[in-house]
Amino acid sequence: MTAQPRQVAFVIDLNKCLGCQTCSIACKTHWTTDQGMEHQWWVIVNTMPGQGTPRGWQEMGGGFKDGRLAPGRIPKREEWGQAWEFNYQEVLEGGMGTQVHLRPINPDGSEPTWGPNWEEDVGAGQWPNAYFFYLPHLCHHCSRPSCLYACPRDAIYKREEDGLVLIDEERCNGCRLCLEACPYKRIYFNPRLEVAQKCIGCFPRLEQGVAPACVRQCPGRAVWVGFLDDQEGPVYKLVHKWRVALPLHPEFGTQPNVYYVPPLAPHPIDPQGNFDRNRPRIPTEYLRYLFGPQVEEALATLQRERERARQGHPSELMDILIAYRFQELLGPFNANPAQLPRTPV
Amino acid sequence: MVSLVVALASRPLGELLSPWALGWQEAPQVVVPLATVPLEAQTSAYVRDVWGERPYGQTPEVGLRALHDGQRLALQLSWPAPQRRDLLDDDDVFLDAACVMFAMREDTPISMGSPQRPVRGWLWRPDWPQPKEVRATGPGTSQRSPGDGLEARASWQEGRWTVVMAGPLPQEGLLAVAIWRGADKERAGLKAYSPRWLPLELRREGGRA
């Protein structure tokens, strides 16, 4: 009997993400500590509006256009941001602590002009109507992965059992066509091993019933994981039933499986100092650019249900988004990693 | 039919590793015209959809000379590379490279062999201390391994690479060449190649061929 292919999906509530980078660090310490991976952040939280990581990725091409794979380009190392060193020696041990500030230094000794979180909290707009929100960004484990179509060696594959898109590093020859073709620019090049590397969906954890590190570690309860076809699960309900969780840049055409609940911000303040309830603070046009035309309906649903809950009415949507119980975020991957049997290394 | 004469070297093969060694004058040069690996032969759907708009596989020809000493084969390759790429200093940088591929039989597909007709070869890159051994059973299947017993020296002057690769004298009698031009971001199937097998004609006696 052949099992139906299933798809694991992520939902990230941008109203709850607090930009703490705990997901980034959880992933970093799990997977990207080896040499050649210093610059890699398989999940990274960027302040939006902003240029993101790598800088300007949204305009680098890739994905599909008019039914064909679309031209893309490979980000340069400077656009990713390099793995900085710090002048700890000078400040902490060199007796210069009162004269010299701790500062980042590029591997080549130069002063950084960019980094993976360079634009933290910059955002857009003018006081008192400035705005920003955080966008956690990982591999989208697309249903139509352009990276997979780019690989000339069948080194990239999509798993039947969970839809994760993985790179076989034994087969990868480091040609980087996948970096060109990925429109989300979520694939890194390891210059030491000369292979492409990216988020693996924490598959060794999933296989033991444990949620990915970025999900389980999120202190804001902002990330859900689960099977997209599980009609009783929050992922299905947020994506398909309530239709408030949307793919990022759906026009890229890769059918991504990371979904975002778009941000509602307080209304802007008018010259008299009152809330202007006729205008959104975050321009809807910008959210449409990120999440496509469905965003207006999603925002309207969020606003309507939030209002219902405020008035004391029950709202399944608000209950899901609040996530009263931490376990609700984990879907079927609710095993506690601390209680798993461990084989000594 | 053009073949590559593999002359018997009159001096130790180790002396011929320098691309400019005088001994290379003993070996006649064959200039092999190269072709672009066509889009339809590319195993990457992305390349087929996108790279038709981008120039690749533009290296027009490679000059070949070959010498042996009964044990080892030395090959001198020389080809135009107007812009040298020999340092992998950014993620969008690709390096110049050359591969010589050996096959036993004429019916071996020139596009990296097949499961029934495997090929193997020597892959040179300017930043590697020695060439790597490559084995393949078709397009997109090549596997690299350390090039035990392989040596190379290279020189880039006035827009040309001249590379000498040496290794155990192959059993195979046919040779093909692929050249990657890093400046055009060539890698994988994006390359220029010799579209026909070139027979190796081993000379057992010394003297100028």
Side-chain angles (χ1 to χ4, degrees), chain A residues 39 68-72 74-77 80 149-153 170-171 173-177 180-181 189 194, chain B residues 43-51 54 88-94 125 127 140-144 187-188:
Chain A
H39 65 299
R68 290 164 66 88
L69 286 139
I74 298 172
K76 297 190 79 68
R77 287 182 190 166
W80 285 109
Y149 291 109
C151 181
R153 304 174 52 79
E170 297 289 314
R171 290 195 64 80
N173 254 3
C175 77
R176 289 162 271 168
L177 286 164
E180 262 188 56
F189 180 59
E194 291 195 29
Chain B
T43 54
S44 161
Y46 172 80
V47 167
R48 293 197 299 273
D49 277 1
V50 167
W51 274 77
R54 301 175 179 176
L88 188 57
D89 59 358
D90 210 330
D91 290 1
D92 63 345
V93 168
F94 295 88
R125 229 173 66 173
D127 61 330
T141 65
S142 66
Q143 293 289 331
R144 299 172 186 169
R187 72 275 203 191

Side-chain angles (χ1 to χ4, degrees), chain A residues 242-272:
Chain A
W242 288 97
R243 296 159 59 92
V244 293
L246 307 173
L248 180 62
H249 287 297
E251 77 281 7
F252 287 166
T254 60
Q255 299 170 14
N257 288 298
V258 177
Y259 293 86
Y260 296 90
V261 179
L264 284 168
H267 286 289
I269 293 169
D270 67 18
Q272 287 72 46

Side-chain angles (χ1 to χ4, degrees), chain A residues 165-208:
Chain A
V165 176
L166 299 179
I167 301 173
D168 179 347
E169 290 181 16
E170 297 289 314
R171 290 195 64 80
C172 176
N173 254 3
C175 77
R176 289 162 271 168
L177 286 164
C178 56
L179 275 80
E180 262 188 56
C182 172
Y184 297 100
K185 301 305 169 199
R186 285 287 82 212
I187 307 178
Y188 288 86
F189 180 59
N190 181 323
R192 190 161 175 271
L193 301 177
E194 291 195 29
V195 293
Q197 295 178 317
K198 67 168 196 70
C199 161
I200 56 173
C202 280
F203 75 86
R205 289 169 65 104
L206 291 193
E207 286 171 359
Q208 297 199 63

Side-chain angles (χ1 to χ4, degrees), chain B residues 75-92:
Chain B
L75 288 166
Q76 187 205 56
L77 293 79
S78 173
W79 70 92
Q83 293 172 281
R84 175 175 48 173
R85 288 286 184 279
D86 58 1
L87 182 65
L88 188 57
D89 59 358
D90 210 330
D91 290 1
D92 63 345

Side-chain angles (χ1 to χ4, degrees), chain A residues 8 10 30-31 159 162 164 200-217 224-227 326-327 329-342:
Chain A
V8 160
F10 298 79
H30 260 69
W31 302 118
R159 304 211 306 181
D162 50 24
L164 293 181
I200 56 173
C202 280
F203 75 86
R205 289 169 65 104
L206 291 193
E207 286 171 359
Q208 297 199 63
V210 176
C214 58
V215 179
R216 200 176 163 94
Q217 296 287 320
W224 289 259
V225 65
F227 286 104
F326 162 65
Q327 294 278 325
L329 300 155
L330 311 178
F333 308 108
N334 55 7
N336 180 351
Q339 290 170 357
L340 290 178
R342 281 173 187 255

